[in-house]
């Protein structure tokens, strides 16, 4: 099997990267929700208590974390399907159709948009949480592992690493899916150019066939005209020969009459 389709191989490599990055979104966010007892720190705010130093959290909606996990799962499933599908294409030595390439373009752009939204949610939501953490700690990283909310019983030991990994995975996935959109668009443009070439070749072939048929029709008409002219020339020559023969025959009759008169006189 000759691996000549560089674009198809590039797509497979990009889908493998997208698969790995989708794990960087799904796994950390799932671990975070488990450690925070189902709560989501994205866009969550609170007030520091002066009496016991605890953080009284006003939890934001879980939809922020759930949406991010959902996007990661979708990216993972789509990446696996595309890796399998394009691996089959390489094994069989074929490529996707024009319709399939068009669907890839639309799906890649749509998933890219979903990933951008997830990346913005993780980034902005984490910034809101860290602003409250820096009111008591020098940095948000230092707050990780501190007992800040005994009331809810959350485990804060790994939230900074988990949210950082999810943030990296979201933005990197967005860049990867932008590249996949470009690859799919390039393939679609190539198919469009090939289709235009086929149409142009078909029209040129039809034009040459029509010109050949018109040329054959003109040659037959010219032959008929030449044949008719030759018949006219032949008929004129025959008429001239018959006229000369009649003239000669008419000229011989007086000479024969004079000879017969001379014989009678003798």
């Amino acid at each position: 099997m000759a691996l000549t389709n560089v674009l198809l191989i590039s797509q497979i490599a990009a889908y493998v990267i997208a698969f790995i990055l989708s794990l960087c979104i799904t796994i950390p966010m799932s671990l975070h929700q488990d450690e925070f007892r189902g709560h989501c720190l994205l866009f969550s705010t609170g007030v520091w208590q002066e009496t016991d130093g605890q953080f009284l959290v006003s939890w934001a909606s879980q939809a922020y974390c759930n949406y991010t996990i959902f996007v990661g799962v979708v990216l993972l499933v789509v990446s696996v399907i595309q890796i399998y599908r394009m691996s089959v294409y390489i094994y069989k030595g074929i490529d996707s159709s024009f319709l399939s390439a068009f669907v890839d373009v639309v799906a890649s752009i749509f998933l890219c948009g979903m990933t951008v939204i997830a990346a913005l949610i993780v980034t902005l939501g984490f910034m809101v949480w860290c602003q409250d953490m820096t009111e008591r700690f020098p940095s948000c990283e230092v707050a990780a592992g501190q007992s800040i909310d005994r009331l809810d019983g959350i485990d804060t030991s790994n939230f900074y690493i988990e949210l950082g990994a999810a943030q990296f995975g979201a933005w990197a996935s967005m860049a990867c899916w932008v590249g996949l959109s470009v690859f799919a668009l390039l393939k679609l443009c190539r198919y469009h150019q090939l289709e235009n070439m086929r149409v142009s070749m078909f029209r040129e072939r039809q034009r040459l066939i029509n010109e050949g048929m018109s040329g054959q029709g003109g040659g037959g008409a010219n032959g008929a005209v030449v044949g008719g002219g030759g018949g006219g020339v032949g008929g004129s020559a025959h008429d001239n020969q018959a006229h000369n023969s009649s003239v000669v025959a008419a000229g011989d009759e007086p000479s024969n009459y004079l000879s017969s008169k001379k014989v009678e006189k003798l």
Side-chain angles (χ1 to χ4, degrees):
M1 179 184 62
L3 301 178
T4 57
N5 197 337
V6 179
L7 187 58
L8 185 60
I9 298 174
S10 301
Q11 283 183 298
I12 293 177
Y15 279 120
V16 171
I17 297 173
F19 170 77
I20 297 172
L21 293 175
S22 65
L23 295 176
C24 294
I25 300 174
T26 307
I27 295 176
M29 292 302 298
S30 300
L31 292 174
H32 159 67
Q33 278 202 311
D34 182 66
E35 293 173 356
F36 270 52
R37 302 293 187 269
H39 297 295
C40 180
L41 66 77
L42 299 178
F43 296 101
S44 296
T45 58
V47 179
W48 291 101
Q49 301 292 322
E50 296 295 337
T51 57
D52 55 0
Q54 291 294 295
F55 188 60
L56 184 60
V57 186
S58 176
W59 296 108
S61 173
Q62 295 182 4
Y64 297 117
C65 289
N66 292 337
Y67 174 79
T68 306
I69 295 173
F70 170 75
V71 171
V73 172
V74 170
L75 296 180
L76 187 147
V77 172
V78 173
S79 299
V80 170
I81 293 174
Q82 291 292 81
I83 290 170
Y84 173 76
R85 186 169 69 93
M86 294 189 176
S87 298
V88 171
Y89 288 156
I90 285 186
Y91 178 76
K92 294 183 178 180
I94 59 177
D95 204 344
S96 58
S97 62
F98 180 85
L99 180 60
S100 179
F102 177 77
V103 172
D104 288 342
V105 171
V106 175
S108 298
I109 294 175
F110 179 74
L111 292 175
C112 184
M114 291 180 61
T115 309
V116 169
I117 296 174
L120 289 174
I121 288 175
V122 174
T123 302
L124 298 178
F126 193 35
M127 288 175 61
V128 171
W129 173 266
C130 286
Q131 284 177 358
D132 289 336
M133 293 297 104
T134 53
E135 291 181 1
R136 181 176 179 182
F137 301 100
S139 64
C140 193
E141 185 178 2
V142 176
Q146 303 295 328
S147 179
I148 61 175
D149 186 12
R150 297 192 190 97
L151 180 62
D152 294 319
I154 62 175
D155 182 8
T156 62
S157 57
N158 298 315
F159 81 86
Y160 187 81
I161 296 176
E162 290 167 355
L163 270 295
Q167 186 176 351
F168 165 77
W171 287 111
S173 294
M174 185 272 296
C176 184
W177 282 97
V178 168
L180 286 168
S181 301
V182 172
F183 288 153
L185 189 61
L186 288 174
K187 182 178 287 188
L188 187 66
C189 291
R190 188 184 67 178
Y191 285 158
H192 184 67
Q193 291 176 353
L194 291 175
E195 187 66 23
N196 288 338
M197 289 176 60
R198 292 191 186 99
V199 172
S200 299
M201 292 174 64
F202 175 77
R203 290 177 178 175
E204 184 66 18
R205 185 167 63 249
Q206 289 296 113
R207 186 182 65 83
L208 293 175
I209 292 174
N210 293 334
E211 288 182 355
M213 293 177 64
S214 62
Q216 290 179 358
N222 293 333
V225 171
V226 172
V233 173
S236 299
H238 179 70
D239 293 341
N240 291 333
Q241 184 177 1
H243 177 69
N244 293 332
S245 299
S246 62
V247 170
V248 172
D252 287 342
E253 288 180 357
S255 59
N256 293 332
Y257 177 75
L258 293 175
S259 299
S260 61
K261 290 294 185 180
K262 289 180 181 179
V263 172
E264 289 178 359
K265 288 180 179 181
L266 292 176

